[in-house]
Amino acid sequence: MKKPPEKYIKSLQLDLFSQFVTNDKSEVSNTVEIWESIPKYFLTPAQVKKLRTDTGHADPYEWNYSEKGGNFTVRIQPALIKQGNNKYQAFFPGITEELVEEALKKILTIQNHGIHDVNKVETWVRFSLRMVLKELASRGRDRNINQIKHAIEVMSSCVITLSKEKKEIWKGSILQDLVTVGREEYLADTDAQHIGRLPLFISHAINQLEYRQFNYDRLMSCDEQLTRLIYKKLINRYRHANLINNYHFMYSDLKNSGLLQQNREIDNRKKVLSALNELKEKNIIANYETDERKESRAITDVKYIIYPSNEFISEQKAANKRNSDSDKHNIDPNLISVNKS
């Protein structure tokens, strides 16, 4: 287990990560595409219940997916958390853990709550349970203290292994090397400080300025998990959005996420349309079209064509300007990196 730095480390990279091109810094955060492209939060409570044995334990769960021409496997070893009956039960990361991670990445951008060691490629976030509670509540994603504490335990105790072409390339937890208070201290003071190390992918992105500004407030307002996933994809890939330049993606690409696991494909396609309609309601896209691909009468795939809203176009332009401004700082390209393939 690594220990957090004893002293504050001055980091230009973290300073740049915390600076935004916006009129309201509270509304924006950063997305790290390489980390967020790894499926982690797709198992539902019903699925987890089926995966558990009679003793409450569960084997690791594997999900195969393709990304940018490569074949990947993510294996999630569940967290074993002690229950009130003194028995341990298996938990996999889900929607609450997804939202808590977003809150922690936002907290990381607040002065004195982040530590980044550029040489060791390590990033630590300092937080309290009450800080996370207030952050989620301010975005309409209310969770109580016990739910947040449970999510932190799951994030720090589950183990994710990423393999490419059957070769392991990374292994770790969502929140690593967590230094936290004991139960008695926690019950007495929910403002007690915790500190945890974020995954190497995020630290590498901070070193190399490979992250992107986005409207975090709008993301957290989205009710559907698939809506948030598609929004992130648009932020990272539809960088030059404008009124004459539409964007498209395939239904088969969304299947990689693990969020489309209904028994009938027609129900999965309805779920995509529901997410796209929510993107319209949140003024992220202006409209969309569908182009069904068929063999005989069977739908084999669907192409979704996206037309951006004026607000999304403005936000992408701000993100592009922020990237351009950051590039002027001439960060050393020889900084330690991870295998991004």
Side-chain angles (χ1 to χ4, degrees), residues 172-234:
S173 55
I174 300 169
L175 189 61
Q176 303 175 86
D177 302 320
L178 182 65
V179 178
T180 188
V181 295
R183 178 170 174 79
E184 290 184 3
E185 294 172 280
Y186 154 71
L187 291 174
D189 183 9
T190 55
D191 290 317
Q193 292 287 301
H194 306 243
I195 187 166
R197 183 167 60 90
L198 296 174
L200 183 61
F201 295 96
I202 295 176
S203 300
H204 172 267
I206 294 174
N207 264 13
Q208 300 290 345
L209 311 184
E210 294 177 350
Y211 47 82
R212 188 162 178 82
Q213 172 180 314
F214 75 100
N215 192 317
Y216 162 77
D217 191 59
R218 201 186 305 275
L219 176 90
M220 297 294 271
S221 75
C222 295
D223 294 322
E224 297 185 29
Q225 197 175 12
L226 186 60
T227 306
R228 295 193 292 271
L229 174 83
I230 297 174
Y231 183 28
K232 286 281 189 74
K233 285 185 178 294
L234 293 177

Side-chain angles (χ1 to χ4, degrees), residues 306-322:
I306 302 297
Y307 299 92
S309 69
N310 287 325
E311 286 192 26
F312 181 76
I313 291 171
S314 297
E315 288 163 4
Q316 290 293 75
K317 287 181 178 179
N320 293 339
K321 184 179 188 306
R322 193 257 198 133

